[in-house]
Amino acid sequence: MKSLLSKISHSLFHHLTWKGYWEPLVQRFKPAWRDGLFRAQITSATYLNPNTLQILLSPEKKWPVHLAGQHVSLTLEINGRLTTRVFTIASGASTRALENELRLIIRIKEQGALTPHLPTLSPGQWVNISPPMGRFALREDKDILMIAGGSGITPFIAMLEDYTSKHAAKHSSNDCNEHHSSQASMKPNIHLLYYAKQGEHLLIDELSNISSKLPNFAFRLLTKANDGDVERYLPEFNSYEWMVCGPLSLYGPVSKNALANNISLESEHFTALLPTVFDSSEEEQTFLIQHDDKVLHVNNQQSLLTQLQQANVSVNYGCGMGICHQCQCVKKQGIVRDMRTGELSDNAEELIQLCVSQAITNLELQS
């Protein structure tokens, strides 16, 4: 029935869904209400340093429970146009349960399409967010090495927040002997190597507080200038599983070492592993696309969904017409064309629909 109503709406009213047709009316009573998205209200927007903003959001009650380490798309209306970017949630499910808040920690980019507008957000303002996305999550059955670069601390602080909420009370004790016994029994051992420029490490007080509550957690604040490259610290943790979140300059050597030593590695990184070269011609061209851990060739004639399916890549999909949004994924970097309008994306991270997107540069995608 919903599919039939959407087809009628598309044919008669030029809206992709029946609900979408009524958006302007509903928005009179529910600001920022949009079909296919959730509403969230700004609690605060404050600077952590001159380039980094902390935003607290209160999502509507029906927003799903998230796993620490997942990300969310944030959509703002800017000059009459909806602009969407993807950010990691920097708080755990425990904070959502206790305070109904989500935290985003975002580096402001002067030339960005969305981030320069974030400091103007005011308490009480409504924005749109997606459901939580991603599979970057903490395992509790293995010793873990976390490796963060800059704002790459965000998924780890969320994981540590939830882990602390779950375990700290069980192992707190004023007795020294009990403390050491507890330390020996707690698993996993978790160690964080956190790289940033001098004076730009984020959330240090929170890390110290977590360390005081968890005897099995330790962290080091590192700068490349003073402490050298990450490779010098990795051999100490060859028996651990590794997780890395940060720029390609950090991910690259970590990935190389993990492969050489047959170490399990989970990652989130900020820069595409493949170069992108923009070419706006209509002639058929072939590009490289990285989708999660797979690399393949695609052209600029068929949709990304069609070509991923032809390559036997497992992806979610539904209607195939851009209506149901089930084939959404995160474009980490690269430019795509919207097959319905011909509009080009920019090169930044954003949410796209595979069924109505064509590659016109090399791409990096994440489920």
Side-chain angles (χ1 to χ4, degrees):
M1 185 64 180
K2 288 183 180 179
S3 178
L4 177 61
L5 286 174
S6 293
K7 288 180 181 179
I8 294 173
S9 178
H10 190 214
S11 299
L12 299 181
F13 306 118
H14 306 291
H15 283 263
L16 293 179
T17 66
W18 177 248
K19 288 182 179 179
Y21 177 72
W22 297 102
E23 277 185 6
L25 178 61
V26 177
Q27 286 171 1
R28 291 177 178 267
F29 307 97
K30 297 178 106 177
W33 183 90
R34 290 186 173 87
D35 183 34
L37 294 174
F38 293 90
R39 298 196 313 152
Q41 194 168 34
I42 300 296
T43 302
S44 66
T46 56
Y47 278 98
L48 297 180
N49 64 38
N51 301 313
T52 306
L53 195 69
Q54 175 177 273
I55 297 176
L56 298 181
L57 300 165
S58 179
E60 58 183 323
K61 291 182 179 180
K62 64 180 180 179
W63 191 76
V65 175
H66 75 284
L67 296 176
Q70 289 187 302
H71 47 265
V72 67
S73 68
L74 173 67
T75 299
L76 302 181
E77 185 172 341
I78 300 171
N79 298 324
R81 181 177 179 177
L82 295 180
T83 303
T84 301
R85 290 295 180 269
V86 179
F87 304 103
T88 300
I89 302 167
S91 55
S94 53
T95 295
R96 166 79 188 287
L98 291 172
E99 303 174 16
N100 193 34
E101 276 190 346
L102 301 178
R103 177 170 64 169
L104 303 179
I105 294 177
I106 300 170
R107 191 170 295 278
I108 304 300
K109 299 178 181 178
E110 291 184 5
Q111 304 303 318
L114 184 140
T115 60
H117 299 271
L118 296 178
T120 66
L121 294 174
S122 57
Q125 185 173 342
W126 289 92
V127 297
N128 295 115
I129 58 175
S130 71
M133 302 173 288
R135 301 189 298 269
F136 194 56
L138 178 67
R139 292 181 57 180
E140 296 190 17
D141 58 342
K142 301 287 184 179
D143 290 337
I144 300 294
L145 173 65
M146 298 174 168
I147 307 164
S151 58
I153 190 62
T154 51
F156 296 133
I157 203 73
M159 294 175 193
L160 290 167
E161 178 185 298
D162 273 358
Y163 185 85
T164 303
S165 176
K166 181 178 178 181
H167 293 284
K170 298 178 182 178
H171 298 276
S172 60
S173 172
N174 294 324
D175 183 85
C176 183
N177 291 330
E178 288 185 16
H179 174 80
H180 287 296
S181 174
S182 145
Q183 183 173 7
S185 64
M186 287 187 74
K187 287 289 183 178
N189 291 307
I190 305 173
H191 199 102
L192 168 67
L193 302 177
Y194 181 16
Y195 271 89
K197 294 180 180 179
Q198 190 70 42
E200 294 189 9
H201 291 89
L202 303 171
L203 311 176
I204 298 175
D205 289 344
E206 291 184 32
L207 291 172
S208 297
N209 184 46
I210 291 169
S211 180
S212 70
K213 294 179 179 178
L214 294 178
N216 61 326
F217 170 68
F219 69 98
R220 303 181 205 178
L221 303 180
L222 304 169
T223 67
K224 190 170 182 179
N226 295 332
D227 302 293
D229 294 326
V230 68
E231 292 97 323
R232 67 183 294 186
Y233 301 99
L234 296 178
E236 180 181 347
F237 301 98
N238 280 351
S239 63
Y240 285 49
E241 293 200 352
W242 296 355
M243 305 179 74
V244 59
C245 184
L248 182 60
S249 58
L250 182 68
Y251 169 80
V254 172
S255 176
K256 182 179 179 180
N257 274 266
L259 182 63
N261 293 284
N262 195 30
I263 294 171
S264 174
L265 175 65
E266 298 289 335
S267 68
E268 292 267 353
H269 47 279
F270 302 155
T271 305
L273 297 178
L274 305 168
T276 59
V277 180
F278 176 71
D279 189 331
S280 60
S281 69
E282 296 287 338
E283 297 180 1
E284 182 170 350
Q285 297 176 69
T286 300
F287 303 103
L288 286 172
I289 174 174
Q290 176 169 316
H291 182 275
D292 293 334
D293 59 349
K294 297 181 176 64
V295 177
L296 59 148
H297 290 85
V298 297
N299 61 50
N300 61 341
Q301 304 297 306
Q302 297 174 289
S303 73
L304 290 171
L305 177 62
T306 295
Q307 296 181 81
L308 288 169
Q309 289 176 323
Q310 290 172 348
N312 296 317
V313 176
S314 177
V315 291
N316 293 328
Y317 66 95
C319 67
M321 299 183 293
I323 295 174
C324 72
H325 297 274
Q326 291 189 47
C327 66
Q328 283 184 333
C329 77
V330 178
K331 174 180 69 67
K332 301 288 285 185
Q333 187 159 324
I335 300 172
V336 297
R337 178 191 292 115
D338 189 313
M339 297 169 63
R340 300 164 295 185
T341 64
E343 185 177 2
L344 302 182
S345 72
D346 61 24
N347 197 48
E349 185 172 297
E350 62 183 316
L351 202 63
I352 65 169
Q353 292 174 259
L354 294 173
C355 68
V356 292
S357 298
Q358 294 172 326
I360 60 169
T361 69
N362 295 334
L363 298 171
E364 182 182 356
L365 305 179
Q366 184 179 75
S367 298

